[in-house]
Amino acid sequence: MRSISIFGATGSIGEQTFDLLMRAGGPEAYRTVALTGGRNVARLAGMARALRADIAVCADDAGLPALRAALAGSGIEAAAGAGAIADAADRPADWLMSAIVGAAGLVPGLRALRHGRTLALANKESLVTAGPLLMAEAAAHGARILPVDSEHSAIFQALNAEDIACVERIILTASGGALRDWPMAALANATVKEAMAHPNWAMGQRITIDSASMFNKSLEVIETREFFGVEPAQIEVILHPESLIHSMVGFRDGAIMAHMGAPDMRHSIGYALNWPSRDHLPVARLDLAQVATLTFRAPDLDRYPALRLCREVMAQRGLAGAAFNAAKEVALDHFLAGGIGFMQMASVVEETLSRLSPDFRLGNAMMTLEDVLAMDHLARTRAGEVAAHMTGSR
Ligand code: NAD
Ligand code: MG
């Protein structure tokens, strides 16, 4: 029986992973080692009981008494804190889902790779902040990373048995998010609620707003560069409002392989779970006559400054990715708190990058985890200052 762990089990990706495991037979089909979550300890405990996990870990110490109480009599261990989450990644599991949101997902993923495990990677922030480190650790320990982001799963599938040297271009599709058809001038005043109304995908709050700003796509461009090792100039972004093509690979003979399917993350989660085989998945089947048309358009870089910023990050390399992601997370916090406007998120990130750029080279030889965490911390501080300065100046 295969053993599994889920990091970020109570989130959108975590719940969908849980759904697939339960449909497959739950504890009869998989041995669950560790499940981790954030504040929702009741749900975490419920999942741990259903899968008969060895241990459940919540992110905050404050949640531990409630987690213990909810697990009383089950024989399931309870623990709390970032250290305990990282330690849970040391426990032997064949397959680990990395679905914590944000840079907090980096350390547990790295720990799993150091044990040579298979890491299903939804946490794109790990590759953006520390791509070279993550890929080097995987190679050094014979670990495998399977992409779970729908675009990267699509590219991975389109590349099946192909020679990466024959790849000319990778085309990431983007829905354009909730505000894609708004007039430019109205974007400055978009609210959190408006940015949350994603047309096609039901996801966590942070990634949904990052989709509206295309910061999500900008992270994915960097993720593509780091994971597949292609040059930045080979990566294109195209708006595709229907979200039925999940991404494409163009080869040197002009052929394009596109991955299509209903917009349902259980496809890419299930692909990573069943890889290298395929199994039945409970996703809707496309009726192409019903779909009738697929549309595409070039993204407007004035509307989506994040797409321009990710190119600068890739040109600088080193620790620029760590700074970019941290500044973006802080800018998003300030937008969620109502301090800054929707378009000011990009301004916060751009200003933070320009203040820190002399330090990015540090990570160019071979970045260490300490370098990455130090840059993450520094960028959060700088971005906080920049955002505080902008507050109220919308
Ligand atoms: P989410 O916010 O729904 O869930 C995040 C999970 O991480 C929860 O279990 C939460 O409790 C936990 N968590 C949050 N902060 C934490 C911290 N500091 N320490 C430990 N645990 C913490 O997020 P999501 O939408 O499921 O996204 C998870 C990851 O997958 C992100 O990296 C996201 O970019 C990526 N992703 C998500 C989707 C999607 O459809 N939701 C698609 C592609 C990629
Ligand atoms: Mg994606």
Side-chain angles (χ1 to χ4, degrees):
M1 201 187 271
R2 238 180 353 145
S3 57
I4 61 109
S5 288
I6 310 175
F7 290 79
T10 53
S12 162
I13 294 288
E15 283 283 1
Q16 294 177 83
T17 308
F18 175 78
D19 174 70
L20 290 180
L21 296 176
M22 292 306 287
R23 286 168 188 266
E28 313 305 326
Y30 292 93
R31 203 180 80 67
T32 300
V33 178
L35 297 182
T36 84
R39 293 203 187 90
N40 192 351
V41 294
R43 179 64 186 144
L44 178 63
M47 293 170 122
R49 281 178 181 274
L51 285 170
R52 292 186 219 134
D54 296 343
I55 184 168
V57 191
C58 61
D60 303 315
D61 292 334
L64 188 55
L67 182 61
R68 280 213 177 100
L71 290 173
S74 67
I76 300 169
E77 281 177 66
I85 290 179
D87 289 345
D90 288 337
R91 294 188 174 224
D94 303 318
W95 187 92
L96 294 89
M97 168 54 79
S98 167
I100 289 175
V101 64
L106 173 61
V107 171
L110 271 176
R111 293 271 280 266
L113 292 176
R114 283 176 187 160
H115 295 289
R117 317 260 201 258
T118 296
L119 187 69
L121 188 70
N123 180 264
K124 64 193 84 184
E125 296 89 342
S126 316
L127 278 169
V128 173
T129 56
L133 180 62
L134 214 72
M135 298 308 281
E137 289 286 357
H141 300 281
R144 185 172 283 281
I145 302 175
L146 295 172
V148 171
D149 213 348
S150 60
E151 294 76 3
H152 305 76
S153 175
I155 296 161
F156 188 75
Q157 293 179 56
L159 282 172
N160 210 350
E162 298 282 357
D163 180 355
I164 189 85
C166 300
V167 172
E168 203 168 60
R169 53 209 282 239
I170 289 182
I171 308 164
L172 296 174
T173 50
S175 72
L179 312 176
R180 114 189 128 210
D181 298 317
W182 280 36
M184 257 303 270
L187 291 176
N189 295 315
T191 64
V192 169
K193 190 159 175 263
E194 287 161 342
M196 277 299 294
H198 197 285
N200 307 331
W201 298 91
M203 306 182 286
Q205 182 189 48
R206 301 185 70 91
I207 185 174
T208 304
I209 293 174
D210 283 350
S211 295
S213 63
M214 285 259 214
F215 265 111
N216 180 50
K217 205 54 53 182
S218 72
L219 297 179
E220 291 178 355
V221 169
I222 301 172
E223 184 186 7
T224 303
R225 193 237 187 303
E226 297 297 342
F227 187 75
F228 296 102
V230 294
E231 292 303 318
Q234 291 177 280
I235 309 169
E236 303 168 27
V237 173
I238 188 92
L239 273 187
H240 168 48
E242 295 87 0
S243 295
L244 296 177
I245 292 184
H246 300 142
S247 277
M248 296 173 254
V249 179
F251 294 92
R252 65 184 180 194
D253 58 359
I256 292 179
M257 297 295 283
H259 179 284
M260 287 184 76
D264 185 329
M265 285 307 295
R266 291 176 305 176
H267 180 86
S268 19
I269 298 167
Y271 183 79
L273 185 63
N274 299 321
W275 182 90
S277 184
R278 287 184 187 267
D279 208 341
H280 291 282
L281 289 173
V283 300
R285 271 43 179 176
L286 288 186
D287 176 342
L288 291 173
Q290 189 86 36
V291 169
T293 42
L294 297 173
T295 58
F296 303 96
R297 57 186 200 243
D300 171 356
L301 296 190
D302 292 330
R303 178 180 276 272
Y304 301 114
L307 290 181
R308 177 172 50 77
L309 294 175
C310 74
R311 300 281 164 190
E312 291 170 24
V313 169
M314 291 188 291
Q316 303 217 45
R317 295 221 76 193
L319 298 172
F324 180 62
N325 178 68
K328 186 227 61 141
E329 288 191 26
V330 170
L332 178 57
D333 289 337
H334 282 258
F335 173 63
L336 288 171
I340 61 171
F342 181 76
M343 293 303 283
Q344 284 178 309
M345 288 192 282
S347 311
V348 168
V349 174
E350 183 157 25
E351 176 64 23
T352 305
L353 287 177
S354 82
R355 289 192 192 186
L356 291 174
S357 72
D359 298 332
F360 294 160
R361 287 183 310 277
L362 289 174
N364 260 341
M366 181 28 98
M367 58 175 64
T368 64
L369 178 59
E370 290 66 35
D371 294 336
V372 172
L373 296 178
M375 178 51 79
D376 177 86
H377 182 75
L378 183 62
R380 281 173 203 273
T381 308
R382 288 289 166 279
E385 291 161 6
V386 173
H389 191 71
M390 278 185 200
T391 296
S393 69
R394 207 177 319 169

